[in-house]
Amino acid sequence: MSTAIAVSLTVGTLVMAVATLVATPRGRWSAGEAAARADGTTGPIFQSVCVMDTRELEMLVESLFARERELRASDQVEAAREVGVHKFICISELRSRRA
């Protein structure tokens, strides 16, 4: 998967999630609980992930995994860590839905 495709999928999915969040806020957690679970850097990502359906989350995890691998291969470790944190949030949400 090329970098452009991975970035396009990631950005497109996040934009759709934010648009859904703005249009119909329906997270499973209250604002206080979401703030307690996520720090300032991951809060918006966490809130966006809460409103995605399972298929969107699976596609996002795949694209984030590919992007993280590409960043690590090009020695961009800090950027890869940021992508890894976002991937971890998505995987955690998927696991909680399946439990």
Side-chain angles (χ1 to χ4, degrees), residues 10-28:
T10 303
V11 171
T13 304
L14 288 175
V15 168
M16 288 186 329
V18 170
T20 302
L21 180 64
V22 170
T24 56
R26 55 186 165 100
R28 286 186 280 165

Side-chain angles (χ1 to χ4, degrees), residues 47-98:
Q47 292 171 356
S48 298
V49 165
C50 287
V51 297
M52 287 184 187
D53 66 18
T54 303
R55 183 64 191 139
E56 288 175 323
L57 275 172
E58 289 170 348
M59 289 181 357
L60 182 58
V61 167
E62 290 173 12
S63 65
L64 289 173
F65 179 75
R67 180 68 180 142
E68 182 184 17
R69 185 176 50 222
E70 290 171 357
L71 288 169
R72 289 195 188 279
S74 64
D75 278 339
Q76 297 177 8
V77 177
E78 286 302 315
R81 284 183 183 157
E82 290 179 27
V83 170
V85 168
H86 295 164
K87 182 181 72 172
F88 177 77
I89 292 169
C90 294
I91 291 171
S92 297
E93 177 65 16
L94 276 172
R95 285 184 179 168
S96 70
R97 290 182 184 185
R98 292 179 181 160

